Amino acid sequence: MIRGLGHSAVESVCCRFVARFRLNGSRMLAVDLMNETIRALNGSMVAYDGQMTFKRQGMTGGEGLRGFVRRRVAGEGMTLMEVTGQGTVYLAAEAAEITLIPLQGDTLFVESESLLALDAGLQTGVQFVGLRGMGTGQGLATTKVDGHGMVAILSDGPAIALEVAPGMPLCVDPHAYVGHRGQLQQDVVTDVNWRTVLGQGSGESVQFRYQGHGLVYVQPAERGGGIMEV
């Protein structure tokens, strides 16, 4: 587990937000609002009761003009809407599996396409990963979410949280990566040889390697390949 966020701490954080974010099955998120606001993936509402208003956040996505420019430069797109009201709103996206992650002042790094909903008090931004992301199809940047509140992420199949401990690095297929949190350092490991050049590679020649202390979320399916898929 992440240092400072043991099993009991996770339970207490979950209990604090359970009245707001709750799963209705594994592919539907229900959020109970009492004249509050959340941010959600644009177009993800499938039903609601009570009184709700939906407002697209526009080109800045709630991050201001500077954040918008950083996303355009990095190619990390994210379109969110504000949901405000009193009642329950139900959210989903293409029948993808949903995982709830409570943040307690820490930071979650997640692919923008995997972000379904988050508390309005959480801050989002762009974290540049450099050229190491381009070769894997991940792009120049990823989305970071930090603060106190609940985040709902999407995955193709149930997401699995894998623990990384000091001295025990974890390697992940870039196309199965969903997100990570904790004190982790990410780099890219390659294993390109003559078999790869001849098209006889294993298909696992590029991996993300995580070292430090934290959790990495992966899905049991792979996205479309990047320019270095071999």
Side-chain angles (χ1 to χ4, degrees):
M1 301 296 291
I2 298 177
R3 183 175 303 169
L5 194 61
H7 185 67
S8 60
V10 171
E11 287 182 344
S12 65
V13 173
C14 288
C15 290
R16 187 189 312 169
F17 296 105
V18 71
R20 296 193 60 198
F21 284 67
R22 52 188 173 86
L23 293 179
N24 193 334
S26 63
R27 302 181 181 185
M28 182 82 69
L29 173 66
V31 184
D32 301 320
L33 298 176
M34 294 292 292
N35 296 318
E36 297 161 306
T37 298
I38 63 167
R39 288 192 286 167
L41 178 67
N42 195 50
S44 61
M45 186 275 292
V46 296
Y48 69 89
D49 58 42
Q51 300 294 322
M52 297 285 172
T53 60
F54 303 88
K55 178 182 178 182
R56 181 168 174 160
Q57 289 198 304
M59 69 177 186
T60 64
E63 298 175 0
L65 183 58
R66 184 176 181 180
F68 167 73
V69 173
R70 286 168 64 89
R71 286 191 180 277
R72 288 297 297 268
V73 171
E76 176 73 354
M78 182 176 68
T79 305
L80 298 177
M81 62 180 178
E82 290 184 348
V83 184
T84 305
Q86 185 169 0
T88 301
V89 60
Y90 298 89
L91 306 170
E94 298 182 354
E97 298 282 337
I98 302 171
T99 301
L100 296 180
I101 301 176
L103 295 182
Q104 198 175 29
D106 51 328
T107 300
L108 171 70
F109 297 92
V110 62
E111 294 289 88
S112 60
E113 65 192 58
S114 300
L115 192 60
L116 175 63
L118 65 156
D119 270 309
L122 291 170
Q123 301 296 316
T124 58
V126 178
Q127 177 71 32
F128 283 92
V129 297
L131 295 178
R132 68 178 185 270
M134 290 188 63
T136 61
Q138 187 189 29
L140 285 171
T142 190
T143 294
K144 64 176 182 178
V145 184
D146 50 36
H148 292 79
M150 191 70 76
V151 183
I153 63 172
L154 300 165
S155 59
D156 189 354
I160 302 171
L162 301 176
E163 184 175 3
V164 182
M168 299 181 64
L170 175 71
C171 292
V172 173
D173 187 308
H175 307 307
Y177 168 84
V178 177
H180 71 274
R181 62 192 294 194
Q183 303 300 316
L184 294 175
Q185 177 183 351
Q186 180 199 68
D187 57 15
V188 172
V189 178
T190 60
D191 180 23
V192 179
N193 52 40
W194 65 271
R195 290 183 180 275
T196 304
V197 176
L198 295 177
Q200 299 177 2
S202 65
E204 307 294 345
S205 299
V206 181
Q207 303 102 36
F208 285 156
R209 180 173 60 191
Y210 295 90
Q211 302 181 80
H213 199 284
L215 295 175
V216 179
Y217 297 89
V218 297
Q219 62 183 11
E222 297 185 1
R223 302 180 185 86
I227 61 175
M228 283 184 63
E229 182 181 36
V230 286

